[in-house]
């Protein structure tokens, strides 16, 4: 009994020690968790726990607490990494959503634009084809025909200088004399080459006197005057025709614009109306003979009346006549072939007459074009004379004004200073030239005028204030100048 009691006492002591150790370890774990959640300094709490506990159990508890602290620190690091990864993932998701949203907006905009374009296309398809009835200038067509004829003539002359009908310049006096003397020199020296003959004639020409050279020089002068007169006339005619063409093109453009605006108005009015549009067929010449029918078509025309009476439709008629024509013998086909042959002969006769008529019409048209060309040249020359007369009047008027201005100019007269608009335009001109490099002068002046008109009253008053002192000084100087002129008079 005593032994058992002692054993139980010993066992109880060991049990109490183990329980205390477990409780201490649990207390340390809970303390470590509290430290991890509240984030205090663990190095300060551990010595305090060591001070409270006995030294025998302190080392084990400290190791357990250190292990717990390491685990908690590792967990905290993992949590921090997970938090950063989560933020990155959320940022990527937001970016992806933004990209998707933009793509959806682009798709929606594109669909709207595509719908609009399809509506415009349907509108254009429903509208009629614009066929202007305006006749284009005849001057241009005639000039193009002349150029084409000159080019064709130049192409035929292969290796003979430049293409085109270029007028030859007159030969000089030496060349005219050379042509006369060349045959004589060749008769005297038939074996002489080109260089020897040229040198001989060159020496002779230098040795000739002024009286001997005079006929050739006079002939060259006359030919040159005639050449210059013809060339000058051609140049003047070309300038006049160009002027007439420009005038006719302006009239044509105006008429074409009026026709197009009328066409657009009619197309918009008839846009809502639906209907089938027939294809545009090529206009046929009513005077041209019709093509003759073949033997099969002669037979089908004869057979058609009977089949129509039997209430057969067009496909059935074609099928029946085709099968019957295949089964017919040569003797049965012969009458129809004879009719077809006669029609063909008659067609050829009519075509000969038609071709002859077309040739006569073409010749008549060419003659009319030549007459029209002469008339237009005369009109062009009259137009050029009017233009030259107007230019001369303008030139003389300018010269007269400039002369009067120079005569009336007094060096002692005070110069008028720049106005408020001139000062404004100088400053704005620099700004506009920097903003719009390459702008022409007329557009620039128009923009300056628009900007000046858009100025408010206060802004315009500031520019007037800038020009005020100079204008006041000018007025004062003018008063003194006027007084001086009156006293001298």
């Amino acid at each position: 009994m005593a032994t058992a009691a002692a054993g139980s006492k010993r066992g109880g002591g060991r049990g109490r020690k183990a329980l205390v150790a477990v409780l201490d370890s649990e207390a340390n774990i809970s303390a470590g968790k509290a430290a991890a959640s509240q984030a205090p300094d663990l190095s300060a709490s551990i010595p305090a726990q060591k001070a409270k506990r006995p030294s025998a159990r302190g080392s084990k508890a400290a190791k357990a607490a250190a292990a717990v602290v390491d685990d908690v620190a590792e967990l905290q690091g993992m949590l921090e990494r997970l938090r950063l990864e989560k933020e990155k993932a959320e940022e990527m998701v937001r970016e992806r959503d933004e990209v998707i949203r933009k793509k959806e907006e682009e798709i929606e905009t594109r669909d709207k634009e595509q719908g609009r374009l399809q509506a415009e296309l349907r509108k254009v398809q429903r509208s009629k084809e614009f066929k202007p009835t305006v006749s284009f200038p005849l001057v241009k067509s005639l000039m193009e025909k002349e150029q084409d004829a000159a080019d064709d003539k130049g192409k035929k002359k292969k290796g003979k200088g430049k293409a085109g009908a270029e007028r030859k310049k007159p030969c000089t006096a030496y060349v005219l004399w050379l042509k006369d003397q060349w045959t004589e020199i060749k008769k005297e020296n038939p074996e002489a080459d080109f260089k020897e003959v040229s040198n001989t004639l060159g020496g002779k020409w230098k040795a000739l006197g002024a009286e001997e050279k005079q006929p050739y020089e006079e002939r060259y002068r006359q030919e040159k005057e005639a050449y210059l007169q013809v060339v000058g006339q051609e140049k003047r005619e070309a300038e006049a025709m160009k002027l007439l063409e420009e005038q006719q093109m302006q009239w044509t453009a105006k008429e074409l614009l009026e026709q197009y605006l009328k066409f657009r108005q009619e197309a918009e009015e008839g846009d809502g109306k639906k209907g089938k549009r027939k294809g545009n067929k090529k206009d046929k010449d009513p005077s041209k003979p019709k093509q003759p029918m073949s033997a099969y078509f002669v037979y089908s025309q004869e057979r058609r009346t009977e089949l129509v009476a039997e209430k057969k439709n067009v496909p059935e008629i074609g099928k029946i006549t085709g099968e019957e024509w295949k089964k017919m013998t040569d003797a049965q086909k012969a009458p129809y072939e004879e009719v077809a042959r006669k029609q063909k002969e008659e067609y050829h006769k009519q075509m000969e007459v038609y071709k002859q008529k077309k040739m006569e019409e073409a010749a008549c048209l060419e003659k009319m074009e030549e007459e029209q060309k002469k008339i237009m040249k005369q009109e062009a020359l009259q137009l050029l004379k009017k233009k030259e007369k107007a230019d001369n009047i303008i030139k003389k008027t300018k010269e007269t004004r400039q002369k009067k201005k120079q005569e009336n100019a007094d060096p002692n007269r005070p110069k008028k200073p720049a106005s408020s608009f001139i000062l404004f335009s100088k400053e704005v001109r620099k700004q506009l030239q920097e903003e719009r490099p390459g702008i022409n002068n007329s557009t620039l002046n128009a923009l300056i005028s628009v900007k000046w008109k858009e100025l408010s009253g206060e802004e315009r008053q500031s520019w007037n204030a800038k020009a005020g002192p100079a204008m006041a000084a000018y007025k004062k100087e003018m008063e003194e100048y006027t007084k001086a002129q009156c006293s001298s008079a």
Side-chain angles (χ1 to χ4, degrees), residues 201-243:
L201 290 172
K204 282 189 174 183
W205 175 256
K206 290 179 181 178
L208 286 176
E211 294 179 358
E212 294 174 340
K213 290 181 180 180
Q214 187 178 359
Y216 297 100
E217 290 175 353
E218 183 66 22
R219 183 178 164 190
Y220 167 66
R221 187 184 61 77
Q222 292 176 358
E223 290 180 359
K224 188 177 180 180
E225 286 179 359
Y227 168 77
L228 291 175
Q229 188 176 0
V230 172
V231 170
Q233 183 66 23
E234 288 177 354
K235 189 176 179 181
R236 184 175 174 79
E237 287 179 359
E239 187 179 353
M241 292 295 284
K242 189 177 179 181
L243 187 64

Side-chain angles (χ1 to χ4, degrees), residues 96-119:
R96 187 193 64 184
D97 292 341
E98 185 66 21
V99 171
I100 291 170
R101 187 182 63 78
K102 288 181 180 179
K103 288 289 183 184
E104 289 176 351
E105 290 178 356
E106 288 178 2
I107 291 169
E108 186 178 357
T109 307
R110 186 180 62 188
D111 292 341
K112 287 181 181 178
E113 185 67 19
Q114 191 173 1
R116 187 184 66 78
L117 291 173
Q118 286 177 355

Side-chain angles (χ1 to χ4, degrees), residues 137 139-140 143 235-251 376-391:
V139 179
K140 192 171 183 180
M143 290 175 71
K235 189 176 179 181
R236 184 175 174 79
E237 287 179 359
E239 187 179 353
M241 292 295 284
K242 189 177 179 181
L243 187 64
L244 182 62
E245 182 188 356
E246 290 176 358
Q247 190 183 54
Q248 288 187 351
M249 287 297 287
Q250 289 176 0
W251 294 340
M376 281 192 300
K377 278 187 177 179
Q378 192 64 29
E379 289 178 0
L381 288 170
Q382 290 176 1
L383 186 65
L384 183 63
K385 286 178 182 177
K386 288 180 182 178
K387 183 177 178 295
E388 289 174 350
K389 188 176 180 181
D391 291 342

Side-chain angles (χ1 to χ4, degrees), residues 68-80 82:
V68 170
V69 170
D70 293 340
D71 293 340
V72 170
E74 187 177 353
L75 288 170
Q76 285 180 342
M78 291 174 67
L79 286 171
E80 186 66 21
L82 289 171

Side-chain angles (χ1 to χ4, degrees), residues 296-310:
Y296 166 71
F297 275 101
V298 174
Y299 168 74
S300 65
Q301 286 290 104
E302 183 182 328
R303 189 82 174 87
R304 182 183 294 275
T305 54
E306 299 175 4
L307 294 172
V308 169
E310 296 175 6

Side-chain angles (χ1 to χ4, degrees), residues 113 214 227 260 275 300 432 461-462 487:
E113 185 67 19
Q214 187 178 359
Y227 168 77
Y260 179 71
S300 65
L432 289 174
Q461 192 64 31
S462 64
S487 62

